[in-house]
Amino acid sequence: MADGGGALDLERDRVILALETSCDDTCAAVLTPGGAIAANVISSQGIHDRYGGVVPEVASRHHLELIGAVVDDALATAGTSFEQLELVAVTCGPGLVGALLVGLSTAKALAAAYRLPLAAIDHLHGHVAASLLEPNPFEPPFLSLIASGGHTLLARVTDPGPDFEVIGQTLDDAAGEAFDKGARLLGLGYPGGPALERLARDGDPSAFEFPIASKVQGLDFSFAGLKTALLYRVRDLGPDEVHRRRADLAASYQRAVVESLALRVERALAQTGSSRLAVGGGVAANGALRERLAKLGVTLDVPPRELCTDNAAMIASAARFVEPIRYPDYLALDVYATGERRLAA
Ligand code: KG4
Ligand code: ZN
């Protein structure tokens, strides 16, 4: 549940505590103001596997049960205490409203009890800011590809603050969702991305032709057609043939998702003249995507896996670059759902 603690100087260091509960991971992290991770605790609920996706109400209830222990664990791992905090940071959206409310309410209570300021963080700014963490901060300007189960976007990042420019996003499913839905059609469990990648290793990526939405102009992504193409292919082949050719189907499908992402990245690099690319979100764990992007010949930053998937260290990282809200002004703060407005800078 917990991972690495950095050595804190308890006499000197004032630290940031961050909470992230936008989906099904209950996360707390402790960060030094310089961007070194002292603790990054992630409790994955697991419970949603049986439903084939995240059930919002179940996620909220689990956050409520876990958040106290996860915060305690983060402070203990960092060897610090509430008295040592200088700032509490929390994800306010986009995400599942009930889930976000657990994190925000907890953050408000902690910050108010110690009269601390609070930093309200946009989840996507968090994903971008994962690249800014020590020990190898990737300095802006760069192009950022965020691909996860909930979002897929391309952003032009010119400074570390929340004002990055979104230049492309998905018109329908997110890339991770495309992996999950494809995996489901092939009879794999949830979340499907890692399982589909494993199966694809034994398959031929050119066995089947799947659409990569190359006709969608510009920098936006679309995965709905791809998912439907797999659905029809599975129906046409029939159960026995699908079973026999599962690995080929997985490899060909994965290739289509990867190509679809890489095509937009190539367009965006050409359009912005950038030669620096940061990748984040759960799909960044995909080996085929990493290999494909590594061939682009740009300076590439892919943070370690635990910083690509949802985590609170990235939220703490973003908090260093937003204006904190003073006590008690943040008590009226609200969350916002997926698809709603972003926080004003
Ligand atoms: O960032 P993340 O942990 O949570 C969200 O914010 O959604 O991303 C989870 C998503 C899931 O859709 C999962 O299937 C996908 O990332 N994923 C992968 C891989 N590992 C996780 N997709 C493809 N290949 C992987 N190795
Ligand atoms: Zn995310």
Side-chain angles (χ1 to χ4, degrees):
M1 177 157 150
D3 93 55
L8 275 176
D9 179 345
L10 291 178
E11 294 300 311
R12 258 191 25 229
D13 288 340
R14 302 280 287 175
V15 293
I16 302 170
L17 171 70
L19 309 183
E20 152 63 45
T21 62
S22 66
C23 192
D24 62 337
D25 295 316
T26 314
C27 315
V30 175
L31 198 76
T32 65
I37 301 172
N40 186 24
V41 179
I42 302 166
S43 176
S44 299
Q45 297 182 358
I47 186 92
H48 306 278
D49 303 12
R50 73 189 68 168
Y51 306 113
V54 176
V55 182
E57 180 61 22
V58 174
S60 314
R61 284 166 191 259
H62 277 262
H63 283 309
L64 209 48
E65 282 168 17
L66 293 166
I67 191 76
V70 167
V71 168
D72 286 347
D73 196 357
L75 294 175
T77 304
T80 190
S81 63
F82 289 118
E83 286 73 23
Q84 204 115 13
L85 302 182
E86 67 167 10
L87 177 67
V88 177
V90 63
T91 309
C92 288
L96 304 172
V97 166
L100 288 161
L101 278 171
V102 176
L104 180 59
S105 311
T106 307
K108 280 181 186 175
L110 290 175
Y114 292 88
R115 300 293 188 265
L116 292 168
L118 184 141
I121 305 300
D122 183 273
H123 182 77
L124 298 172
H125 182 208
H127 275 300
V128 169
S131 286
L132 309 173
L133 285 161
E134 293 289 340
N136 297 307
F138 194 61
E139 302 293 339
F142 55 78
L143 193 73
S144 175
L145 169 70
I146 307 296
S148 76
H151 18 260
T152 306
L153 62 94
L154 272 169
R156 186 188 215 159
V157 181
T158 46
D159 71 68
D163 272 343
F164 54 88
E165 184 193 356
V166 176
I167 55 175
Q169 52 197 321
T170 186
L171 302 173
D172 36 58
D173 292 343
E177 216 176 344
F179 270 110
D180 294 337
K181 289 179 176 174
R184 195 172 187 173
L185 288 170
L186 296 177
L188 304 168
Y190 174 86
L196 193 139
E197 181 180 10
R198 273 194 300 279
L199 184 60
R201 281 189 203 128
D202 301 322
D204 172 7
S206 54
F208 296 94
E209 200 155 318
F210 287 118
I212 58 165
S214 50
K215 288 196 205 89
V216 175
Q217 293 297 314
L219 301 176
D220 286 334
F221 303 88
S222 171
F223 295 101
L226 170 61
K227 177 196 63 190
T228 310
L230 178 64
L231 175 70
Y232 288 153
R233 185 64 75 159
V234 164
R235 268 193 206 158
D236 293 348
L237 289 172
D240 292 345
E241 194 60 7
V242 166
H243 188 73
R244 202 178 66 77
R245 305 207 56 193
R246 276 167 92 214
D248 284 345
L249 284 164
S252 304
Y253 186 82
Q254 172 175 265
R255 180 190 183 184
V257 178
V258 167
E259 279 309 313
S260 180
L261 291 169
L263 177 73
R264 270 74 185 179
V265 169
E266 278 171 345
R267 281 183 192 163
L269 289 168
Q271 195 171 305
T272 59
S274 177
S275 60
R276 293 164 63 74
L277 174 69
V279 187
V283 179
N286 185 274
L289 178 65
R290 286 170 177 245
E291 273 171 36
R292 178 67 173 80
L293 296 178
K295 287 189 194 135
L296 291 175
V298 294
T299 311
L300 185 64
D301 179 65
V302 189
R305 193 183 143 62
E306 67 276 14
L307 297 177
C308 283
T309 53
D310 287 351
N311 68 88
M314 70 184 195
I315 301 304
S317 177
R320 296 175 296 153
F321 308 107
V322 306
E323 194 62 45
I325 308 169
R326 286 171 178 276
Y327 171 82
D329 299 355
Y330 48 75
L331 292 176
L333 202 63
D334 205 354
V335 299
Y336 52 101
T338 302
E340 286 184 15
R341 66 176 168 83
R342 276 181 55 199
L343 283 170

